[in-house]
Amino acid sequence: MKNKTFPSVSTLKGVGPRVAERLARLQIFTIQDLLFHLPIRYQDRTRIRAIATLRSGDECVVIGTVEHSEVVYRKRRMLLVSVDDGTGKVLLRFFYFNNAQKNNLARGVNIRCFGEIRQGLKGPEMVHPEYEIQHPDDPAKVEDHLTPIYPATEGLHQLSLRRLTSQALHCVKSEEFPELDLLPVPPEIDGHRVSITDALAFVHRPPPDADTEALTSGKHAMQRRLAFEELLAQQLSLSKSRLQLQKQAAISIAPIAKLYQQLINNLEFELTNAQQRVITTVFSDLKNNYPMLRLVQGDVGSGKTLVAIAACLQVIEAGYQAVVMAPTEILAEQHLRNFSKWLEPMGIRLAWLSGKLTASKSREMKDLIASGTANAIVGTHALFQQDVEFKNLALVVIDEQHRFGVHQRLALREKGIQNNAHPHQLIMTATPIPRTLAMTAYADLDYSVIDELPPGRKPISTIAIPLARRHEVVKRVANACRNGQQAYWVCTLVEESEVLQCQAAEDVFSELSQLLQGVKVGLVHGRMKGNEKDAVMLAFEKREIDLLVATTVIEVGVDVANASLMIIENAERLGLAQLHQLRGRVGRGSVESSCVLLFSPPLTENAKLRIDTLRNTNDGFKIAQVDLEIRGPGEVLGTRQTGMLQLRIADIMRDQDLIPKVQATAKLIQEEYPQNVDALILRWLGESIEFGQV
Ligand code: ADP
Ligand code: MG
């Protein structure tokens, strides 16, 4: 029971229970679903290509005469058929063939074949082309439209999908499908009003004279017509979940702000304007009787922690609990230190939960949380455990959100629901989100930016040095440390294995300890115990360690203001966002800082782009933009797995120019045609949309 208006796919020819089950795997239940199952690319079988004009990678139709055919025995037995069309020759290569095939492909026979051209040793080749024998009196037939290639699934291949979509397109033409023309707001793209049915017919079966270049790059007007509508549906769906959120209840937090004032008075510095602005916004969100859902973005070092603390204080003052969750042990511990430093003097009890606590300690903490003795709770994902219960949780702060999955966030939110009241949520990230993305992917969240760094920060100068000159870098580190500077040396490995990562760090640690007489070298990595790590970090903070060798565990959040030199080994292996995060560990104090990216040549094109970008700018937004271009939004936002942003035809980067109009149209539809909202969402997103509940 997917949709009342549209007939089920089972009404189509060739769809029995087995095919229906396979279609269901592609989320296709109705004829409408089939119509919106759009091609990912096209093949051109509308023209016969002259062999002489073929290039490697071309997928094309060729007609010619078999000039030679033989079975050869190399590593494997294979049938080689040389075909000549008068302009040149192409070699067909078959590894699987039967005798009939072999006999049919005899010298003098005319064949028509389709396949991808590869450059072989002796000229162009096609491996296992599709082919047909042409009889002399047959007209040289070609397809009358470009061939669509659909997302497929096991047991349901292109040919079946083509047959089914043809039937669906036919239905639309012949039957009444009122819903299909449901877009009374004219989205006049490029000044043309194109009906949805025309756009669908075109995109499923583009005519031979279609602009293939535009089609291949997804920029054809017909594709943009559909992309526009898809983005519109996304937008409508996100604002719908936002409205739903606002219907949920939350505890309204009175803005007393006495504790906050006390905090400000105790700080040895002034809050930046940006921090103050975001804090004011958060306080006003907390006053609402529906849950806050705010994403705060601030570049590394912009002072997000104080925003979190301010929000917590407000909630605690009103008599409720606040929890702060960090993605790593080290970062959680650091929050704990900050919270103790600032909250304990005000008489606020803290609790702390991490996976590494002993059973009895953890029990003790859980009791503090359940009884409400502790008001401020800091921890890692250990906070998700089933037996963690809160007395009266009113605020969840999630730091460095991209490390957490949507489901983890949901779990914590669920825990906080009491008497139907949802906790407020503050999500903090250092990943800058370009505006277009924020407006689409995060349209269901409120969004604030801390767009100002505390005064006195100096830009970090970044250089890239090939591994062959590593010894010079070692010397430079030694000099810096002997002059009272502190440095990080980060070891990276491609392998996901934490064991190997830590091994690499241990090796570098012993190497540098021996090489650098008079320099105090420390080591921190993910396999050390929490208290060991803590001790090392503390020693580094107290300047008892000059040089800290580390794995990428220090990537997020670690804050030692005196550290001014960052060495990243094998920098070419890391992504831009990660490099930017790592580099952000220095440049936090008032000293000039630098970052050395050690790389092993040769660099791939992308690695070179990453390193150049980092050398040229400290601006998190510029870096994010390049990152987005290299990796795409799904990767950047870490939403690959969550089902968010799985677009059928639109591409946020490519189609970003459509977004302002999408937003305006969404607003218009909500106001003038509210009855169309659900139909549009259903058409493009189906019924499987849960992500609004982040
Ligand atoms: P991030 O946004 O990366 O989490 P933090 O909250 O860790 O940044 O802050 C980085 C450092 O800057 C901390 O040592 C913090 O005490 C300091 N800091 C925060 N706000 C200010 C400010 N307004 N002026 C000076 N230093 C600040
Ligand atoms: Mg932080």
Side-chain angles (χ1 to χ4, degrees), residues 646-686:
Q646 280 189 354
L647 300 170
R648 291 162 191 253
I649 192 163
D651 174 314
I652 293 199
M653 295 309 291
R654 182 190 65 212
D655 302 326
Q656 52 182 305
D657 60 307
L658 294 176
I659 287 170
K661 199 160 178 180
V662 165
Q663 291 202 305
T665 312
K667 208 158 159 248
L668 202 67
I669 293 189
Q670 278 158 344
E671 284 161 9
E672 312 276 336
Y673 307 91
Q675 69 278 15
N676 290 355
V677 170
D678 285 347
L680 268 172
I681 294 175
L682 180 68
R683 170 186 291 176
W684 287 98
L685 291 103

mmCIF file of all heavy atoms in Angstrom, residues 646-686:
data_model
loop_
_atom_site.group_PDB
_atom_site.id
_atom_site.type_symbol
_atom_site.label_atom_id
_atom_site.label_comp_id
_atom_site.label_asym_id
_atom_site.label_seq_id
_atom_site.Cartn_x
_atom_site.Cartn_y
_atom_site.Cartn_z
ATOM 1 N N GLN A 646 20.106 11.619 -0.902
ATOM 2 C CA GLN A 646 20.255 10.679 -1.994
ATOM 3 C C GLN A 646 19.380 11.151 -3.130
ATOM 4 O O GLN A 646 18.201 10.851 -3.186
ATOM 5 C CB GLN A 646 19.881 9.274 -1.549
ATOM 6 C CG GLN A 646 21.014 8.665 -0.792
ATOM 7 C CD GLN A 646 20.766 7.212 -0.514
ATOM 8 O OE1 GLN A 646 19.697 6.697 -0.794
ATOM 9 N NE2 GLN A 646 21.766 6.563 0.040
ATOM 10 N N LEU A 647 19.968 11.927 -3.972
ATOM 11 C CA LEU A 647 19.194 12.560 -5.018
ATOM 12 C C LEU A 647 19.171 11.699 -6.267
ATOM 13 O O LEU A 647 20.132 11.011 -6.575
ATOM 14 C CB LEU A 647 19.792 13.930 -5.311
ATOM 15 C CG LEU A 647 19.801 14.872 -4.107
ATOM 16 C CD1 LEU A 647 20.618 16.109 -4.393
ATOM 17 C CD2 LEU A 647 18.389 15.258 -3.727
ATOM 18 N N ARG A 648 18.059 11.731 -6.967
ATOM 19 C CA ARG A 648 17.927 10.928 -8.180
ATOM 20 C C ARG A 648 18.527 11.615 -9.377
ATOM 21 O O ARG A 648 19.116 11.011 -10.243
ATOM 22 C CB ARG A 648 16.448 10.685 -8.499
ATOM 23 C CG ARG A 648 15.774 9.799 -7.529
ATOM 24 C CD ARG A 648 14.268 9.968 -7.665
ATOM 25 N NE ARG A 648 13.633 9.299 -6.557
ATOM 26 C CZ ARG A 648 12.975 8.149 -6.692
ATOM 27 N NH1 ARG A 648 12.836 7.601 -7.860
ATOM 28 N NH2 ARG A 648 12.448 7.586 -5.647
ATOM 29 N N ILE A 649 18.316 12.900 -9.475
ATOM 30 C CA ILE A 649 18.750 13.588 -10.683
ATOM 31 C C ILE A 649 19.456 14.896 -10.371
ATOM 32 O O ILE A 649 20.366 15.307 -11.079
ATOM 33 C CB ILE A 649 17.557 13.793 -11.660
ATOM 34 C CG1 ILE A 649 18.066 14.245 -13.024
ATOM 35 C CG2 ILE A 649 16.531 14.753 -11.095
ATOM 36 C CD1 ILE A 649 17.063 14.087 -14.130
ATOM 37 N N ALA A 650 19.083 15.525 -9.263
ATOM 38 C CA ALA A 650 19.727 16.793 -8.920
ATOM 39 C C ALA A 650 21.113 16.524 -8.345
ATOM 40 O O ALA A 650 21.409 15.434 -7.895
ATOM 41 C CB ALA A 650 18.885 17.540 -7.893
ATOM 42 N N ASP A 651 21.943 17.535 -8.419
ATOM 43 C CA ASP A 651 23.267 17.464 -7.827
ATOM 44 C C ASP A 651 23.480 18.817 -7.182
ATOM 45 O O ASP A 651 23.433 19.847 -7.847
ATOM 46 C CB ASP A 651 24.285 17.210 -8.942
ATOM 47 C CG ASP A 651 25.720 17.257 -8.451
ATOM 48 O OD1 ASP A 651 26.066 18.192 -7.699
ATOM 49 O OD2 ASP A 651 26.491 16.373 -8.831
ATOM 50 N N ILE A 652 23.677 18.800 -5.879
ATOM 51 C CA ILE A 652 23.677 20.073 -5.164
ATOM 52 C C ILE A 652 24.744 21.018 -5.677
ATOM 53 O O ILE A 652 24.529 22.218 -5.793
ATOM 54 C CB ILE A 652 23.834 19.834 -3.661
ATOM 55 C CG1 ILE A 652 22.573 19.139 -3.185
ATOM 56 C CG2 ILE A 652 24.025 21.144 -2.931
ATOM 57 C CD1 ILE A 652 22.342 19.217 -1.729
ATOM 58 N N MET A 653 25.912 20.485 -6.000
ATOM 59 C CA MET A 653 26.966 21.361 -6.477
ATOM 60 C C MET A 653 26.634 21.899 -7.868
ATOM 61 O O MET A 653 26.690 23.085 -8.125
ATOM 62 C CB MET A 653 28.308 20.629 -6.535
ATOM 63 C CG MET A 653 28.833 20.197 -5.195
ATOM 64 S SD MET A 653 28.837 21.543 -3.999
ATOM 65 C CE MET A 653 30.116 22.588 -4.693
ATOM 66 N N ARG A 654 26.270 20.963 -8.748
ATOM 67 C CA ARG A 654 26.022 21.367 -10.137
ATOM 68 C C ARG A 654 24.809 22.280 -10.238
ATOM 69 O O ARG A 654 24.797 23.245 -11.001
ATOM 70 C CB ARG A 654 25.794 20.094 -10.975
ATOM 71 C CG ARG A 654 25.582 20.339 -12.448
ATOM 72 C CD ARG A 654 25.136 19.053 -13.128
ATOM 73 N NE ARG A 654 23.841 18.628 -12.634
ATOM 74 C CZ ARG A 654 23.468 17.348 -12.541
ATOM 75 N NH1 ARG A 654 24.288 16.376 -12.881
ATOM 76 N NH2 ARG A 654 22.277 17.041 -12.083
ATOM 77 N N ASP A 655 23.788 21.985 -9.466
ATOM 78 C CA ASP A 655 22.523 22.703 -9.620
ATOM 79 C C ASP A 655 22.318 23.785 -8.567
ATOM 80 O O ASP A 655 21.193 24.193 -8.313
ATOM 81 C CB ASP A 655 21.354 21.707 -9.561
ATOM 82 C CG ASP A 655 21.465 20.637 -10.639
ATOM 83 O OD1 ASP A 655 21.962 20.964 -11.738
ATOM 84 O OD2 ASP A 655 21.077 19.487 -10.388
ATOM 85 N N GLN A 656 23.397 24.226 -7.952
ATOM 86 C CA GLN A 656 23.206 25.160 -6.841
ATOM 87 C C GLN A 656 22.559 26.475 -7.269
ATOM 88 O O GLN A 656 21.889 27.109 -6.478
ATOM 89 C CB GLN A 656 24.485 25.402 -6.064
ATOM 90 C CG GLN A 656 25.678 25.794 -6.895
ATOM 91 C CD GLN A 656 26.899 25.958 -5.999
ATOM 92 O OE1 GLN A 656 26.859 26.719 -5.048
ATOM 93 N NE2 GLN A 656 27.968 25.244 -6.294
ATOM 94 N N ASP A 657 22.727 26.821 -8.540
ATOM 95 C CA ASP A 657 22.094 28.058 -8.999
ATOM 96 C C ASP A 657 20.572 27.970 -8.922
ATOM 97 O O ASP A 657 19.886 28.980 -8.926
ATOM 98 C CB ASP A 657 22.541 28.372 -10.433
ATOM 99 C CG ASP A 657 22.167 27.260 -11.395
ATOM 100 O OD1 ASP A 657 22.521 26.090 -11.106
ATOM 101 O OD2 ASP A 657 21.510 27.528 -12.413
ATOM 102 N N LEU A 658 20.030 26.761 -8.869
ATOM 103 C CA LEU A 658 18.573 26.619 -8.805
ATOM 104 C C LEU A 658 18.038 26.889 -7.399
ATOM 105 O O LEU A 658 16.843 27.121 -7.210
ATOM 106 C CB LEU A 658 18.159 25.191 -9.206
ATOM 107 C CG LEU A 658 18.415 24.745 -10.645
ATOM 108 C CD1 LEU A 658 18.031 23.283 -10.809
ATOM 109 C CD2 LEU A 658 17.597 25.612 -11.597
ATOM 110 N N ILE A 659 18.929 26.816 -6.404
ATOM 111 C CA ILE A 659 18.444 26.758 -5.029
ATOM 112 C C ILE A 659 17.643 27.980 -4.561
ATOM 113 O O ILE A 659 16.582 27.814 -3.957
ATOM 114 C CB ILE A 659 19.590 26.356 -4.086
ATOM 115 C CG1 ILE A 659 19.853 24.863 -4.331
ATOM 116 C CG2 ILE A 659 19.238 26.593 -2.622
ATOM 117 C CD1 ILE A 659 21.068 24.314 -3.690
ATOM 118 N N PRO A 660 18.101 29.196 -4.859
ATOM 119 C CA PRO A 660 17.275 30.331 -4.421
ATOM 120 C C PRO A 660 15.838 30.244 -4.949
ATOM 121 O O PRO A 660 14.878 30.489 -4.218
ATOM 122 C CB PRO A 660 17.994 31.544 -5.021
ATOM 123 C CG PRO A 660 19.402 31.096 -5.192
ATOM 124 C CD PRO A 660 19.351 29.629 -5.484
ATOM 125 N N LYS A 661 15.699 29.859 -6.200
ATOM 126 C CA LYS A 661 14.373 29.742 -6.795
ATOM 127 C C LYS A 661 13.587 28.580 -6.172
ATOM 128 O O LYS A 661 12.380 28.672 -5.978
ATOM 129 C CB LYS A 661 14.526 29.510 -8.287
ATOM 130 C CG LYS A 661 13.275 29.832 -9.057
ATOM 131 C CD LYS A 661 13.655 30.059 -10.486
ATOM 132 C CE LYS A 661 12.452 30.334 -11.348
ATOM 133 N NZ LYS A 661 12.885 30.558 -12.729
ATOM 134 N N VAL A 662 14.309 27.506 -5.871
ATOM 135 C CA VAL A 662 13.674 26.372 -5.204
ATOM 136 C C VAL A 662 13.072 26.842 -3.879
ATOM 137 O O VAL A 662 11.933 26.520 -3.544
ATOM 138 C CB VAL A 662 14.705 25.246 -4.950
ATOM 139 C CG1 VAL A 662 14.181 24.235 -3.941
ATOM 140 C CG2 VAL A 662 15.065 24.554 -6.257
ATOM 141 N N GLN A 663 13.844 27.631 -3.161
ATOM 142 C CA GLN A 663 13.355 28.072 -1.860
ATOM 143 C C GLN A 663 12.136 28.961 -1.976
ATOM 144 O O GLN A 663 11.167 28.799 -1.237
ATOM 145 C CB GLN A 663 14.468 28.807 -1.136
ATOM 146 C CG GLN A 663 15.556 27.835 -0.763
ATOM 147 C CD GLN A 663 16.393 28.345 0.368
ATOM 148 O OE1 GLN A 663 16.932 29.442 0.275
ATOM 149 N NE2 GLN A 663 16.492 27.574 1.432
ATOM 150 N N ALA A 664 12.207 29.878 -2.925
ATOM 151 C CA ALA A 664 11.072 30.772 -3.108
ATOM 152 C C ALA A 664 9.835 29.969 -3.510
ATOM 153 O O ALA A 664 8.734 30.197 -3.003
ATOM 154 C CB ALA A 664 11.410 31.814 -4.166
ATOM 155 N N THR A 665 10.037 29.011 -4.416
ATOM 156 C CA THR A 665 8.904 28.205 -4.876
ATOM 157 C C THR A 665 8.337 27.359 -3.737
ATOM 158 O O THR A 665 7.126 27.205 -3.611
ATOM 159 C CB THR A 665 9.335 27.307 -6.044
ATOM 160 O OG1 THR A 665 10.052 28.097 -6.986
ATOM 161 C CG2 THR A 665 8.142 26.682 -6.731
ATOM 162 N N ALA A 666 9.228 26.814 -2.909
ATOM 163 C CA ALA A 666 8.766 26.004 -1.777
ATOM 164 C C ALA A 666 7.844 26.838 -0.894
ATOM 165 O O ALA A 666 6.778 26.381 -0.468
ATOM 166 C CB ALA A 666 9.955 25.499 -0.973
ATOM 167 N N LYS A 667 8.244 28.058 -0.655
ATOM 168 C CA LYS A 667 7.460 28.928 0.201
ATOM 169 C C LYS A 667 6.084 29.190 -0.429
ATOM 170 O O LYS A 667 5.045 29.107 0.222
ATOM 171 C CB LYS A 667 8.209 30.251 0.366
ATOM 172 C CG LYS A 667 7.899 30.919 1.657
ATOM 173 C CD LYS A 667 8.963 31.901 2.067
ATOM 174 C CE LYS A 667 8.363 32.879 3.047
ATOM 175 N NZ LYS A 667 8.247 34.233 2.500
ATOM 176 N N LEU A 668 6.116 29.450 -1.724
ATOM 177 C CA LEU A 668 4.884 29.717 -2.449
ATOM 178 C C LEU A 668 3.933 28.515 -2.385
ATOM 179 O O LEU A 668 2.734 28.659 -2.168
ATOM 180 C CB LEU A 668 5.247 30.019 -3.901
ATOM 181 C CG LEU A 668 4.236 30.800 -4.710
ATOM 182 C CD1 LEU A 668 4.152 32.204 -4.134
ATOM 183 C CD2 LEU A 668 4.686 30.861 -6.168
ATOM 184 N N ILE A 669 4.491 27.336 -2.585
ATOM 185 C CA ILE A 669 3.649 26.138 -2.554
ATOM 186 C C ILE A 669 3.061 25.931 -1.169
ATOM 187 O O ILE A 669 1.875 25.617 -1.018
ATOM 188 C CB ILE A 669 4.455 24.896 -2.994
ATOM 189 C CG1 ILE A 669 4.809 25.044 -4.481
ATOM 190 C CG2 ILE A 669 3.670 23.608 -2.755
ATOM 191 C CD1 ILE A 669 5.402 23.827 -5.093
ATOM 192 N N GLN A 670 3.897 26.138 -0.135
ATOM 193 C CA GLN A 670 3.383 25.973 1.220
ATOM 194 C C GLN A 670 2.225 26.932 1.482
ATOM 195 O O GLN A 670 1.252 26.575 2.138
ATOM 196 C CB GLN A 670 4.498 26.229 2.237
ATOM 197 C CG GLN A 670 5.379 25.008 2.419
ATOM 198 C CD GLN A 670 6.755 25.371 2.964
ATOM 199 O OE1 GLN A 670 7.167 26.537 2.935
ATOM 200 N NE2 GLN A 670 7.462 24.385 3.451
ATOM 201 N N GLU A 671 2.358 28.127 0.956
ATOM 202 C CA GLU A 671 1.324 29.114 1.225
ATOM 203 C C GLU A 671 0.097 28.960 0.328
ATOM 204 O O GLU A 671 -1.026 29.012 0.782
ATOM 205 C CB GLU A 671 1.900 30.530 1.086
ATOM 206 C CG GLU A 671 2.742 30.884 2.295
ATOM 207 C CD GLU A 671 3.684 32.052 2.027
ATOM 208 O OE1 GLU A 671 3.563 32.688 0.960
ATOM 209 O OE2 GLU A 671 4.541 32.315 2.894
ATOM 210 N N GLU A 672 0.332 28.755 -0.970
ATOM 211 C CA GLU A 672 -0.778 28.790 -1.921
ATOM 212 C C GLU A 672 -1.336 27.412 -2.270
ATOM 213 O O GLU A 672 -2.479 27.287 -2.657
ATOM 214 C CB GLU A 672 -0.337 29.475 -3.225
ATOM 215 C CG GLU A 672 0.382 30.789 -3.035
ATOM 216 C CD GLU A 672 -0.599 31.955 -2.878
ATOM 217 O OE1 GLU A 672 -1.734 31.819 -3.365
ATOM 218 O OE2 GLU A 672 -0.210 32.964 -2.268
ATOM 219 N N TYR A 673 -0.475 26.402 -2.223
ATOM 220 C CA TYR A 673 -0.920 25.068 -2.649
ATOM 221 C C TYR A 673 -0.544 24.003 -1.626
ATOM 222 O O TYR A 673 0.098 23.012 -1.968
ATOM 223 C CB TYR A 673 -0.296 24.705 -3.997
ATOM 224 C CG TYR A 673 -0.501 25.740 -5.079
ATOM 225 C CD1 TYR A 673 0.413 26.760 -5.282
ATOM 226 C CD2 TYR A 673 -1.638 25.677 -5.896
ATOM 227 C CE1 TYR A 673 0.218 27.712 -6.270
ATOM 228 C CE2 TYR A 673 -1.840 26.628 -6.884
ATOM 229 C CZ TYR A 673 -0.907 27.649 -7.062
ATOM 230 O OH TYR A 673 -1.099 28.585 -8.045
ATOM 231 N N PRO A 674 -0.899 24.203 -0.356
ATOM 232 C CA PRO A 674 -0.456 23.253 0.674
ATOM 233 C C PRO A 674 -0.889 21.818 0.371
ATOM 234 O O PRO A 674 -0.226 20.867 0.772
ATOM 235 C CB PRO A 674 -1.102 23.778 1.955
ATOM 236 C CG PRO A 674 -2.183 24.702 1.507
ATOM 237 C CD PRO A 674 -1.773 25.249 0.190
ATOM 238 N N GLN A 675 -1.969 21.694 -0.401
ATOM 239 C CA GLN A 675 -2.453 20.341 -0.701
ATOM 240 C C GLN A 675 -1.486 19.572 -1.597
ATOM 241 O O GLN A 675 -1.591 18.356 -1.727
ATOM 242 C CB GLN A 675 -3.864 20.405 -1.331
ATOM 243 C CG GLN A 675 -3.917 20.984 -2.730
ATOM 244 C CD GLN A 675 -3.916 22.523 -2.773
ATOM 245 O OE1 GLN A 675 -3.611 23.209 -1.783
ATOM 246 N NE2 GLN A 675 -4.251 23.078 -3.937
ATOM 247 N N ASN A 676 -0.545 20.256 -2.225
ATOM 248 C CA ASN A 676 0.387 19.583 -3.129
ATOM 249 C C ASN A 676 1.663 19.091 -2.453
ATOM 250 O O ASN A 676 2.429 18.338 -3.050
ATOM 251 C CB ASN A 676 0.798 20.523 -4.259
ATOM 252 C CG ASN A 676 -0.355 20.779 -5.212
ATOM 253 O OD1 ASN A 676 -1.416 20.175 -5.066
ATOM 254 N ND2 ASN A 676 -0.150 21.669 -6.150
ATOM 255 N N VAL A 677 1.880 19.560 -1.237
ATOM 256 C CA VAL A 677 3.155 19.271 -0.584
ATOM 257 C C VAL A 677 3.422 17.774 -0.460
ATOM 258 O O VAL A 677 4.454 17.262 -0.897
ATOM 259 C CB VAL A 677 3.213 19.953 0.808
ATOM 260 C CG1 VAL A 677 4.409 19.460 1.600
ATOM 261 C CG2 VAL A 677 3.278 21.471 0.636
ATOM 262 N N ASP A 678 2.466 17.060 0.105
ATOM 263 C CA ASP A 678 2.708 15.643 0.356
ATOM 264 C C ASP A 678 2.890 14.850 -0.924
ATOM 265 O O ASP A 678 3.706 13.931 -0.987
ATOM 266 C CB ASP A 678 1.568 15.049 1.185
ATOM 267 C CG ASP A 678 1.681 15.485 2.635
ATOM 268 O OD1 ASP A 678 2.761 16.018 2.992
ATOM 269 O OD2 ASP A 678 0.709 15.316 3.390
ATOM 270 N N ALA A 679 2.124 15.208 -1.951
ATOM 271 C CA ALA A 679 2.236 14.484 -3.214
ATOM 272 C C ALA A 679 3.630 14.652 -3.809
ATOM 273 O O ALA A 679 4.224 13.714 -4.327
ATOM 274 C CB ALA A 679 1.173 14.956 -4.183
ATOM 275 N N LEU A 680 4.158 15.854 -3.710
ATOM 276 C CA LEU A 680 5.498 16.107 -4.247
ATOM 277 C C LEU A 680 6.565 15.354 -3.463
ATOM 278 O O LEU A 680 7.498 14.798 -4.036
ATOM 279 C CB LEU A 680 5.804 17.605 -4.188
ATOM 280 C CG LEU A 680 5.450 18.394 -5.432
ATOM 281 C CD1 LEU A 680 5.628 19.888 -5.176
ATOM 282 C CD2 LEU A 680 6.355 17.972 -6.588
ATOM 283 N N ILE A 681 6.398 15.332 -2.158
ATOM 284 C CA ILE A 681 7.369 14.620 -1.327
ATOM 285 C C ILE A 681 7.316 13.129 -1.647
ATOM 286 O O ILE A 681 8.341 12.479 -1.835
ATOM 287 C CB ILE A 681 7.094 14.872 0.172
ATOM 288 C CG1 ILE A 681 7.338 16.344 0.499
ATOM 289 C CG2 ILE A 681 7.970 13.979 1.040
ATOM 290 C CD1 ILE A 681 6.996 16.728 1.919
ATOM 291 N N LEU A 682 6.106 12.615 -1.753
ATOM 292 C CA LEU A 682 5.945 11.196 -2.040
ATOM 293 C C LEU A 682 6.573 10.832 -3.378
ATOM 294 O O LEU A 682 7.263 9.830 -3.517
ATOM 295 C CB LEU A 682 4.455 10.851 -2.055
ATOM 296 C CG LEU A 682 4.145 9.385 -2.343
ATOM 297 C CD1 LEU A 682 4.615 8.511 -1.194
ATOM 298 C CD2 LEU A 682 2.668 9.177 -2.600
ATOM 299 N N ARG A 683 6.362 11.682 -4.350
ATOM 300 C CA ARG A 683 6.873 11.423 -5.680
ATOM 301 C C ARG A 683 8.389 11.269 -5.680
ATOM 302 O O ARG A 683 8.943 10.399 -6.315
ATOM 303 C CB ARG A 683 6.462 12.589 -6.586
ATOM 304 C CG ARG A 683 7.150 12.557 -7.937
ATOM 305 C CD ARG A 683 6.833 13.799 -8.728
ATOM 306 N NE ARG A 683 5.429 13.827 -9.147
ATOM 307 C CZ ARG A 683 4.883 14.861 -9.794
ATOM 308 N NH1 ARG A 683 5.614 15.912 -10.068
ATOM 309 N NH2 ARG A 683 3.625 14.829 -10.143
ATOM 310 N N TRP A 684 9.057 12.138 -4.969
ATOM 311 C CA TRP A 684 10.525 12.154 -5.051
ATOM 312 C C TRP A 684 11.209 11.411 -3.928
ATOM 313 O O TRP A 684 12.300 10.900 -4.091
ATOM 314 C CB TRP A 684 11.036 13.594 -5.095
ATOM 315 C CG TRP A 684 10.775 14.236 -6.416
ATOM 316 C CD1 TRP A 684 9.743 15.066 -6.734
ATOM 317 C CD2 TRP A 684 11.537 14.070 -7.621
ATOM 318 N NE1 TRP A 684 9.814 15.434 -8.048
ATOM 319 C CE2 TRP A 684 10.908 14.838 -8.615
ATOM 320 C CE3 TRP A 684 12.685 13.347 -7.947
ATOM 321 C CZ2 TRP A 684 11.384 14.910 -9.929
ATOM 322 C CZ3 TRP A 684 13.165 13.414 -9.239
ATOM 323 C CH2 TRP A 684 12.516 14.187 -10.212
ATOM 324 N N LEU A 685 10.614 11.400 -2.763
ATOM 325 C CA LEU A 685 11.307 10.795 -1.634
ATOM 326 C C LEU A 685 10.653 9.512 -1.149
ATOM 327 O O LEU A 685 11.160 8.860 -0.258
ATOM 328 C CB LEU A 685 11.413 11.781 -0.473
ATOM 329 C CG LEU A 685 12.331 12.953 -0.726
ATOM 330 C CD1 LEU A 685 11.560 14.200 -1.039
ATOM 331 C CD2 LEU A 685 13.225 13.167 0.452
ATOM 332 N N GLY A 686 9.521 9.162 -1.719
ATOM 333 C CA GLY A 686 8.832 7.982 -1.239
ATOM 334 C C GLY A 686 8.401 8.209 0.196
ATOM 335 O O GLY A 686 8.278 9.346 0.645
#
